[in-house]
Amino acid sequence: MSKEEFEQLVSELSLLIFNVALAKLPAEDANDVVSETFMALWQTRDRAPVDPEERRRWCWGIARNKILQALQHTRRKHHDGRFVVDHVSADPQSLDDPAESVAKADAARRALDSLPPGEREAVTAAAATDLPGKELAAMLGMSHTAFASRLSRGREKIVKFLRSDGLIWEGE
Amino acid sequence: MTEPTDDPTEEFRREIAASPTSIVSTPEEFGLRFLTVDELIEKAEATAPGRLGSLRREARRRTWLLGAAAGLTAAAATVVMVVLPPTRDEAPPPIASPSPSVTESRSPATFDVAREVLLAAALVKGPQTAEINYWQVKSIQVFGTEEVPREIWLGNGRPSVLRQDGFVDRLPAASFPAGGESIGWQALQRLPSRPEQLSALLSRDATAVGRDKRWTIFKAAGDLIAEAPVPPQVRSALWRVLASQPGAGRTNQALDHAGRRGWTVSMSLPAEGSITYLVDPVSGQLLEARYKPSGGRPPWTVTFLERGPAEVAPPLTDT
C-alpha cells in the first residue's frame, strides 16, 4: 500500500471510525482509536489487499478491533474506582454559540443513540463518509439491500426524533 | 428481496446537509483533532507493532490531569495516580527487589460481629511509612472471568511505578485524595488518628459530590487501607472508622480469590451498590475487596497478595 493509498483511506474513514467509536467511548478514546487504527494499518501495509474495496474492508476490520480493545479497556477501568477520573471528558467546544451548538449536537447524538446498532452503523457510515452505498455495504460486510434497508429505517427514526426535539429538518 | 434501484445514501446525505444540526461529530467539538497523515506515519514507525496501547495511556494521562484540575478527584476517594509515559531521557528507577509482607491469613479465631473483626485488625501495628522509598501493593483484579494482575510501587517523593496490562509505567510521586483534596505522602502521615476526626475528614466532600456519607467513608477508609502507605496510628484509626459504620454488623468467614480465609464486612446501599471487605483480623490485613456497583454494572474483585515497604521499583517498559 502506497502512501497515497494510505492517505485516501485516512481521508475516507477517519470521521466514520471516530463516530462509531464515539457511540461507545469517550471522545479522547474515540480519537485515539482513529489514530491507532491508521498506525496499525501503516505498520501492516505490506499485507494490505491490493483491491481498494478489500483494503477499505480490511481497514474497517482493524478499526472494529481497536474499538473493541478500547471498550474492554474502558470497561475494566470503569469498574475500578481508583481510576474514576479516567472517564472525565472535555466538554464539547464551539466557536459560535456554545449553548445552542451543544444542545443541537446532544440532540443529534441522542437521535443516533436511539437507533439499533445496525441502523446506527448504516446511518453513521452514510453521514460520515462520501463513499457510495454499495461500497459502504461491502465494507461493513452486508448486502447492499440490507444496508439500504437499515439506512432507510434509521433515517426515518432520526427525522422523527429530531422533530420531537424541535429540531425539524428543512424540507421535511 | 431485490436490489434497490435507487441508492438511498445520496438522498440521505442531501437531507442531512440541509439539517440545522449534524448527526456526525467531529473531534474538534471535543477540543481534539485527528493526527495528520505524516504524524500517523511518524508515530507508527516510532512504535513497535502491538504496542499502540501507549497512545491510550497518553490520553489517559491527559484526562486525569483534566479531572484533577476540575477538582473531580474528590469523587475518587482513593489513591490518585497520573500515568506519565516513560521518557528516554530520564533514568528509570533501579531494579526491583521489594520486600513487602504477604497478606496471608493466620486467624483461627471466630467472630460473630464485624465490628469485632475490625477492632481486632485495628490492634495490629503496621509498618512505619514516613521514610520508606516505596509502598508496594501486589493484587489481582478479577472482572468476570478475566484476571488482571496489578502491582504498584507508590513513590515517596519519587516517581511511582505501575505494572499492569503487560506494561511497566512511570507515574508521578504518589498523592492521595482525602475528603475531596489531594494530599501528598507527608500529609498522609499527618491524617488524624482519632476515628471521629478521620471519619469527618474522609466524608467532607460527600454532600458536594452527591454521595451517601456512610458509603463515602466506608469506601474511602477501605481504599486507604488497601493501597495507601498510611502510618500505623492512621491505619489503626481507619479500621476503627470502619468499625463505627452501620454496615459493620454480621460477619462470616469466607475464602478470597487466592484461597485464604478471612472475615466479611459489608455495606450495601440501594443507590450505590455493595462493597464487601474480606479482613484477616490477626494480621490486620485487608485480603480482598468485592464491589457490586448499582445500575447493572458487573461486579469486580481485587485481591491483595502483598503490601508493604519496598526499597526499589522495577525498570520501566521500553516503549
Side-chain angles (χ1 to χ4, degrees):
Chain A
M1 181 173 57
S2 68
K3 183 179 176 184
E4 288 69 30
E5 290 167 335
F6 176 71
E7 196 162 5
Q8 187 178 350
L9 282 174
V10 172
S11 167
E12 284 176 348
L13 300 182
S14 288
L15 205 53
L16 171 60
I17 296 169
F18 178 74
N19 276 270
V20 170
L22 193 61
K24 301 170 180 175
L25 296 164
E28 279 204 338
D29 288 353
N31 203 41
D32 286 343
V33 162
V34 176
S35 300
E36 291 182 14
T37 297
F38 289 114
M39 288 165 65
L41 186 69
W42 182 256
Q43 288 177 337
T44 54
R45 62 189 179 282
D46 293 343
R47 303 201 299 272
V50 175
D51 176 61
E53 203 164 283
E54 281 297 308
R55 198 162 53 229
R56 199 177 291 123
R57 191 170 178 174
W58 192 58
C59 178
W60 182 242
I62 294 175
R64 277 188 156 162
N65 280 336
K66 292 293 177 189
I67 292 170
L68 284 175
Q69 286 170 11
L71 195 58
Q72 187 180 31
H73 193 82
T74 300
R75 277 179 180 154
R76 179 185 302 167
K77 296 299 179 198
H78 193 65
H79 301 314
D80 188 338
R82 285 169 293 187
F83 297 94
V84 66
V85 291
D86 193 13
H87 299 279
V88 181
S89 294
D91 289 331
Q93 296 176 357
S94 170
L95 296 175
D96 303 321
D97 182 342
E100 189 182 353
S101 299
V102 168
K104 286 178 177 176
D106 282 351
R109 273 192 281 276
R110 277 189 284 121
L112 261 184
D113 288 345
S114 71
L115 301 179
E119 292 173 20
R120 186 168 60 218
E121 191 173 62
V123 167
T124 306
T129 71
D130 295 324
L131 295 168
K134 198 171 181 178
E135 291 185 20
L136 286 175
M139 185 186 77
L140 298 174
M142 64 179 81
S143 71
H144 190 197
T145 304
F147 176 77
S149 171
R150 289 178 186 186
L151 179 59
S152 295
R153 287 202 304 270
R155 170 185 161 269
E156 283 175 20
K157 289 174 186 171
I158 282 196
V159 169
K160 193 175 172 184
F161 186 98
L162 292 177
R163 273 182 175 158
S164 71
D165 223 58
L167 292 168
I168 302 168
W169 295 10
E170 290 174 21
E172 288 292 323
Chain B
M1 192 177 281
T2 56
E3 286 284 306
T5 50
D6 295 321
D7 186 347
T9 313
E10 287 307 317
E11 185 189 350
F12 175 71
R13 285 177 182 145
R14 280 194 296 276
E15 284 176 341
I16 61 174
S19 161
T21 184
S22 172
I23 61 170
V24 175
S25 299
T26 64
E28 285 75 17
E29 289 175 50
F30 300 91
L32 305 167
R33 70 173 180 85
F34 290 141
L35 296 180
T36 65
V37 168
D38 288 337
E39 287 171 334
L40 287 167
I41 291 175
E42 185 183 350
K43 278 181 175 278
E45 293 182 346
T47 310
R51 306 303 294 276
L52 296 180
S54 58
L55 253 185
R56 261 202 298 284
R57 296 205 308 284
E58 285 183 33
R60 210 182 306 156
R61 176 178 67 90
R62 291 194 303 271
T63 313
W64 287 351
L65 289 170
L66 179 68
L72 291 168
T73 48
T78 183
V79 180
V80 171
M81 296 159 297
V82 182
V83 174
L84 295 176
T87 52
R88 295 177 188 283
D89 55 348
E90 287 181 80
I95 303 293
S97 59
S99 57
S101 61
V102 176
T103 55
E104 65 184 7
S105 176
R106 303 187 297 270
S107 171
T110 58
F111 297 87
D112 294 322
V113 180
R115 186 185 309 276
E116 294 174 6
V117 175
L118 296 164
L119 291 176
L123 295 176
V124 180
K125 189 180 178 187
Q128 294 290 348
T129 54
E131 305 296 331
I132 62 174
N133 291 343
Y134 295 97
W135 183 253
Q136 186 202 351
V137 181
K138 183 177 183 179
S139 60
I140 295 178
Q141 302 162 112
V142 181
F143 306 97
T145 56
E146 185 187 15
E147 289 190 6
V148 183
R150 179 177 190 271
E151 204 163 1
I152 189 160
W153 289 260
L154 293 166
N156 181 5
R158 65 190 73 211
S160 302
V161 175
L162 173 69
R163 179 188 282 159
Q164 184 173 284
D165 292 330
F167 292 95
V168 181
D169 287 310
R170 179 191 300 276
L171 314 172
S175 65
F176 312 90
E181 289 182 12
S182 183
I183 62 174
W185 192 292
Q186 294 311 316
L188 193 71
Q189 308 296 314
R190 297 192 297 270
L191 283 177
S193 57
R194 292 181 57 182
E196 57 276 20
Q197 288 179 343
L198 186 55
S199 184
L201 186 149
L202 294 178
S203 63
R204 202 166 47 191
D205 66 323
T207 305
V209 300
R211 282 207 179 271
D212 186 287
K213 192 174 173 182
R214 297 163 298 174
W215 179 269
T216 302
I217 294 170
F218 195 77
K219 185 167 189 312
D223 287 341
L224 288 172
I225 289 170
E227 276 204 339
V230 286
Q233 69 279 11
V234 177
R235 181 171 296 275
S236 176
L238 286 166
W239 284 120
R240 285 181 283 149
V241 164
L242 286 176
S244 69
Q245 296 307 301
R250 290 185 61 81
T251 186
N252 292 298
Q253 273 196 307
L255 297 179
D256 72 0
H257 188 71
R260 300 170 303 180
R261 191 172 297 278
W263 294 84
T264 59
V265 180
S266 300
M267 176 172 280
S268 184
L269 292 172
E272 313 285 359
S274 75
I275 298 176
T276 297
Y277 296 131
L278 196 61
V279 179
D280 177 12
V282 173
S283 65
Q285 297 284 358
L286 175 60
L287 301 177
E288 187 169 272
R290 302 168 183 169
Y291 302 94
K292 288 184 183 172
S294 58
R297 284 186 286 145
W300 68 284
T301 295
V302 55
T303 305
F304 301 97
L305 302 177
E306 296 175 15
R307 67 166 67 83
E311 286 294 314
V312 290
L316 305 179
T317 305
D318 185 22
T319 54

